[in-house]
Amino acid sequence: MSRTLQLAEQLISRPSVTPEDAGCLELLADRLHAQGFTCERLDGGPDTFRVHNLWAIRRSQHPNAKTLVFAGHTDVVPTGPAEQWSHPPFTPTYQDGKLFGRGSSDMKTSIAAFVVAAEEFLADNAETPLNIAFLLTSDEEGPGHDGTKIVVEALRERGEPLEWCIVGEPTAVKQTGDMIKNGRRGSLSGRLTVEGIQGHIAYPQLARNPIHHALPALAELASIEWDQGNAFFPPTSWQISNMHGGTGATNVIPGEVVIDFNFRYSSENTAESLKQRVKSVLDKHALEYDLAWALSGEPFLTTPGDLVTAVQQAIRAETGLETELSTSGGTSDGRFIAKVCPQVIELGPPNATIHKIDEHIAIADVEPLKNIYRRVLENLHTRLQPAALEQGAAA
């Protein structure tokens, strides 16, 4: 059995349902410490919802070294009904060429591949001009307030320079390496409460139906072309997710209606520009309303450059695939890291079973994933090597 699978098994066997870590970070810190990493816990949150965070870095002795961060999460979503699983969700199980277990795809196998890739790389390149770091949290599947976000804030306060970051989220469609995420759309949610006057449905002249009043504005919002997207992002989307109104009786006009909606928006817009456009539509329709906003994440984008090239070359060399760049899908912790790191991509195994009953990963995807991560290290090491040699000669 490969060392990657062995470590993945150890992580999967720990029931780290968010925000619990169940000892995963301690296991990983011990492993990294043995490779010369300085490991630091930056836990956060209240005692009732304690979040576990690890920052680990192995610094190069070369002047002007640059840093590659491997980022990920040890927490997993709840299993759902355990009796519906073919195997116990926290007992790593092999069947039909697959490894079953909660977190096998999202994303404990990626973390195992990170660690083994770094170990193999350092065995051959102990004097690399590359700083290698790990940013790991137990609060990605949860609210995300006290995980990667607070570690990033701490690194910013210290002035810690980060050049490149790989987030191990499951990004592939059919085979490891067929797709990477070089950005994500922003996510902006709103809760619109439209006020009316409650009354008997037989006497509408004595009431004001907020649903009727809201519908023209909602129809206009649904018809707006917010932007056309660009070369990297699809057009911005506005979608209603919930609508609540009425008392439950069939003869009462409701006094208010509450509409939940969400923007998944491209870099062609900002949260503020979207807020202003929504407000102008609501005001035009003379609604009496209250509107509360929640920004989950701003869009980020890594255009082709050092990191994307290194990843593309690694995937091509390992699998023969020409990877697809994509910004599709939901948000990730990359949205926080992008605030302090100019080049952030997501690269992981296929995502077909994430969060599902019987989550699994094909064994055939595991070693290629580890090898791709190792090849990225090698590619960035090679890129930095001439500069390191010139600096050494000048000294």
Side-chain angles (χ1 to χ4, degrees), residues 198-213:
Q198 182 174 316
H200 196 294
I201 207 162
Y203 301 95
Q205 72 277 15
L206 302 178
R208 186 174 73 245
N209 194 317
I211 298 176
H212 293 184
H213 281 254

Side-chain angles (χ1 to χ4, degrees), residues 36-38 55 57-62 65 67 126 128 130-132 155 158 160-161:
F37 283 78
T38 299
W55 169 250
I57 186 165
R58 183 187 184 276
R59 298 188 186 277
S60 168
Q61 298 303 308
H62 290 261
T67 302
T128 180
L130 191 62
N131 299 327
I132 304 173
L155 297 177
R158 298 176 187 180
E160 180 78 52

Side-chain angles (χ1 to χ4, degrees), residues 223-278:
S223 68
I224 290 175
E225 182 182 74
W226 302 93
D227 57 54
Q228 295 182 339
N230 55 39
F232 295 101
F233 288 98
T236 291
S237 169
W238 181 84
Q239 297 292 326
I240 293 174
S241 56
N242 292 288
M243 182 178 289
H244 313 273
T247 64
T250 60
N251 61 349
V252 178
I253 293 171
E256 68 175 24
V257 62
V258 179
I259 300 104
D260 296 322
F261 62 84
N262 176 265
F263 283 103
R264 292 302 165 102
Y265 67 100
S266 77
S267 55
E268 297 296 305
N269 263 297
T270 66
E272 287 306 314
S273 68
L274 295 172
K275 290 178 182 180
Q276 288 301 317
R277 291 181 71 181
V278 170

